[in-house]
Amino acid sequence: MSETANIRVFQGNLRGRKTTTKSGGPLFSFMGIPYARPPIGALRFQPPQRPEPWAGTRDAGELASICLQIDMINREIAGQEDCLYLNVYSPQLPSGQNTLLKPVMVWIHGGGFTHGSGNPDIYGPDYLVDRDVVLVTINYRVGVLGFLSLDNKAVPGNMGLKDQVAALHWVKENIASFGGDPNNVTIFGESAGGASVHYLMLSPLSKGLFHKVIAQSGCALNPWAFSLKNTARAFQLGQILGCKTNDPAELLNFLMKKDATQLVEVSHKLIHWSENLAGIKFPFVPTLEPNLPGAFMSEHPLHSLQTGRFHKVPFMIGRTTHEGIIMLRDMKENLWSKMNANFEKQFPEKLTNISYNIPTSIIAAKIRNFYFNNKPISENSVAEYVDFQTDLSFAEGIHTTLKLSIVQSNNPVYFYVFGFDGELGFAKQFSNSNIKGTCHADELGYLFRSHLIDIDVEPSSPEMKTINRMVSLWTNFAKTGNPTPYLSEHTPVIWKPCTNENVFYLNIDKEITMEKLTDVKREGFWEEMYRSKL
């Protein structure tokens, strides 16, 4: 039976739970804490507002609702519109004025900006809290409720990213009550969470709210993480629901009266796999806002990186070896025939935008020749398809971000490639593939104790060895800004930061090795595509 634990935050008193981690260490859990007012009624589609205080003691022993979405596993509607809550997990609460505050790690979940939550069904805190850090996991608005944009002052967009900023303000004001150091905060995330922490590096709204960043398998330059078509999709959504108009005010009035569940269900139908063969294209994601006070992002992220307009803090970024395996999960039976017939439908907005004066057929021919050697694409092309998706949807943007960050920042930039293909690989268990290599999100099972992967890990297993390594590297970075400040059993090599001359990376496999990026055929192909415009 768990004990209770009481603390005070600026809104009022909280009663949490004292239990133990899987290894038996102390774990103080405070869940379902509101960090903003419920974004309901007149606050729908609006930036988050400061949370209201409460009387008495609030029970923080249970999870709050996730944000309204189509669940990514069972494909059913889940969550509520009232969802701006976070969870705090600490190894030790303050016991006096001289208590040494611990490093804080704030996790931002993935899910294509369309689904997901910060809850422990996937992101259990045990491994990280055992390494003496305070962990915060958050919910933020997703899909149409988080990223609808009318490109005007009334609905500028990016509400979900502004939710993340509000959560970081809450952390700065309150985390010391949980034993965390507000002056040593690391933000980290995977997939859309990786893109989110990268966006937070670029946004003027988040200045001073964090001190280190870890972006896993996602960045602001990935094609699925940015769009200039949100407003067009908003009007398309209105038309499907019965409001055919070109007037933003009329559309907003119409959408405000609709049930939130209906908005989510219908907007989900705007997601296309077959029409965008390069992978899933989410209809409502981060976008540019009018350059007005309170804007999260009014400059293209690539331009911000090129000009050095971002928060220069220690930065870790990386990917898995075969990110593209995730694209096989919902593969349509007729994918291969569609790819053969319509290969030119592969490409992200930025490639078609810069190549406006070049026929799409020429772009398609070059890419098809590079990945598929101009052969018919079929069920025998799965390995080539995975490489293609890995690069187009993930690696190209990550490598561009890496190189620009090295050039523009005086702080260390660390790069990794995760290649351990073990039993705790998360996403690969839900994909339709036997391809060797690590899938998008496969590293999550080695950072978090996931309740969705019910595997008893033996202490001497390669999986436990990888857990110890990953958690050591990540928490060392959170504590010091250096993932290997010293050699140890779990970190037997020094992880070198990248330089202008050499792109070093930590190869995380059954063993960890320090490598230098020399075979850049695939990375160089995309770099040349964008630089020369063919």
Side-chain angles (χ1 to χ4, degrees):
M1 181 126 182
S2 63
E3 302 176 29
T4 59
N6 295 284
I7 64 164
R8 181 171 180 80
V9 295
F10 76 85
Q11 299 139 280
N13 295 319
L14 284 172
R15 181 173 59 249
R17 302 288 183 269
K18 180 184 179 183
T19 56
T20 58
T21 64
K22 186 177 181 181
S23 68
L27 174 62
F28 294 88
S29 301
F30 295 82
M31 299 180 291
I33 307 171
Y35 67 83
R37 288 179 61 188
I40 58 178
L43 295 182
R44 178 186 286 180
F45 305 133
Q46 295 302 306
Q49 304 296 308
R50 279 185 64 85
E52 296 177 322
W54 57 76
T57 298
R58 181 185 177 95
D59 184 16
E62 302 291 338
L63 295 167
S65 174
I66 66 174
C67 289
L68 199 61
Q69 59 191 264
I70 301 292
D71 185 88
M72 64 179 176
I73 296 177
N74 60 30
R75 307 304 172 88
E76 296 178 353
I77 197 79
Q80 298 178 13
E81 199 171 4
D82 175 5
C83 64
L84 299 185
Y85 300 91
L86 54 75
N87 311 309
V88 182
Y89 307 97
S90 177
Q92 182 182 3
L93 298 181
S95 57
Q97 291 185 347
N98 296 324
T99 298
L100 185 64
L101 297 177
K102 301 180 185 303
V104 180
M105 299 185 74
V106 179
W107 175 254
I108 300 180
H109 69 77
F113 299 104
T114 302
H115 47 247
S117 79
N119 287 352
D121 52 348
I122 297 178
Y123 309 116
D126 302 51
Y127 306 150
L128 293 167
V129 170
D130 274 339
R131 297 303 175 92
D132 215 29
V133 300
V134 175
L135 175 67
V136 181
T137 66
I138 72 171
N139 295 339
Y140 57 93
R141 282 173 285 179
V142 293
V144 62
L145 297 171
F147 294 94
L148 182 87
S149 169
L150 298 180
D151 195 30
N152 59 15
K153 184 177 181 181
V155 185
N158 296 330
M159 288 77 68
L161 293 172
K162 293 169 186 174
D163 292 343
Q164 296 171 13
V165 174
L168 290 175
H169 276 290
W170 189 96
V171 167
K172 187 174 184 66
E173 293 181 13
N174 293 287
I175 204 64
S177 297
F178 302 86
D181 185 353
N183 297 311
N184 190 5
V185 174
T186 298
I187 56 174
F188 69 133
E190 186 271 340
S191 192
S196 291
V197 299
H198 191 210
Y199 276 124
L200 288 165
M201 287 183 73
L202 306 179
S203 174
L205 296 188
S206 58
K207 183 178 181 180
L209 297 179
F210 58 86
H211 311 91
K212 306 172 195 71
V213 176
I214 305 174
Q216 302 170 213
S217 298
C219 67
L221 301 188
N222 288 144
W224 45 264
F226 179 81
S227 178
L228 295 174
K229 298 180 179 179
N230 283 19
T231 301
R233 292 186 180 119
F235 282 99
Q236 184 182 2
L237 174 65
Q239 184 171 346
I240 294 173
L241 288 167
C243 178
K244 188 175 182 179
T245 181
N246 294 320
D247 182 357
E250 182 181 354
L251 176 63
L252 177 59
N253 183 59
F254 176 82
L255 296 177
M256 289 292 289
K257 295 176 181 178
K258 285 294 179 182
D259 180 74
T261 298
Q262 186 180 18
L263 293 179
V264 171
E265 288 177 331
V266 175
S267 65
H268 193 73
K269 296 177 182 178
L270 298 177
I271 296 176
H272 299 293
W273 272 95
S274 58
E275 292 185 15
N276 179 6
L277 302 176
I280 199 163
K281 186 68 176 179
F282 302 105
F284 298 105
V285 297
T287 190
L288 295 185
E289 300 173 49
N291 190 12
L292 298 170
F296 181 93
M297 175 174 58
S298 55
E299 178 181 63
H300 195 289
L302 179 59
H303 193 237
S304 298
L305 281 168
Q306 290 171 330
T307 55
R309 283 197 284 271
F310 57 88
H311 306 306
K312 297 174 176 66
V313 298
F315 185 34
M316 183 196 298
I317 187 169
R319 61 177 180 86
T320 67
T321 59
H322 292 73
E323 301 272 4
I325 292 175
I326 194 70
M327 300 300 185
L328 302 176
R329 179 182 172 214
D330 290 322
M331 182 183 290
K332 305 294 185 183
E333 292 181 2
N334 59 355
L335 173 67
W336 308 121
S337 62
K338 281 183 173 290
M339 287 191 70
N340 278 309
N342 300 289
F343 193 78
E344 65 274 11
K345 289 186 177 179
Q346 305 297 308
F347 316 116
E349 289 174 19
K350 70 173 181 177
L351 182 58
T352 53
N353 286 345
I354 69 168
S355 304
Y356 61 91
N357 60 338
I358 300 171
T360 305
S361 59
I362 295 179
I363 302 174
K366 285 183 174 288
I367 296 175
R368 182 166 182 164
N369 179 56
F370 184 81
Y371 285 94
F372 300 98
N373 198 25
N374 281 334
K375 295 178 181 178
I377 303 171
S378 69
E379 61 273 9
N380 297 320
S381 309
V382 172
E384 291 83 358
Y385 177 74
V386 167
D387 285 346
F388 169 61
Q389 293 289 11
T390 295
D391 295 348
L392 181 67
S393 297
F394 301 98
E396 184 277 322
I398 289 170
H399 282 267
T400 300
T401 294
L402 175 68
K403 290 185 177 182
L404 291 173
S405 299
I406 295 168
V407 170
Q408 294 292 346
S409 179
N410 292 325
N411 276 285
V413 178
Y414 296 93
F415 180 44
Y416 73 87
V417 177
F418 183 80
F420 178 66
D421 192 3
E423 294 296 317
L424 296 180
F426 178 75
K428 196 171 182 182
Q429 299 198 25
F430 301 100
S431 67
N432 182 27
S433 169
N434 293 317
I435 291 180
K436 291 184 178 180
T438 50
C439 177
H440 185 68
D442 270 354
E443 83 279 18
L444 294 180
Y446 303 93
L447 288 170
F448 299 97
R449 183 188 175 192
S450 171
H451 300 304
L452 295 182
I453 305 177
D454 189 19
I455 297 174
D456 192 16
V457 181
E458 295 294 328
S460 60
S461 67
E463 283 73 17
M464 183 55 73
K465 192 174 183 180
T466 303
I467 289 171
N468 287 327
R469 282 175 172 163
M470 291 285 286
V471 175
S472 293
L473 293 166
W474 263 237
T475 56
N476 283 345
F477 182 77
K479 292 172 184 178
T480 69
N482 182 345
T484 53
Y486 49 82
L487 296 178
S488 71
E489 176 188 358
H490 303 314
T491 57
V493 300
I494 295 297
W495 187 346
K496 298 178 183 178
C498 298
T499 68
N500 288 324
E501 294 75 28
N502 294 299
V503 177
F504 297 107
Y505 70 94
L506 191 72
N507 179 46
I508 305 173
D509 209 313
K510 288 184 179 179
E511 302 299 333
I512 57 173
T513 56
M514 198 69 235
E515 309 286 350
K516 185 166 68 173
L517 195 64
T518 55
D519 181 10
V520 293
K521 182 180 178 182
R522 283 160 58 183
E523 292 85 355
F525 171 76
W526 288 99
E527 186 175 309
E528 182 64 24
M529 288 273 287
Y530 289 113
R531 181 173 63 241
S532 68
K533 302 183 185 179
L534 302 170

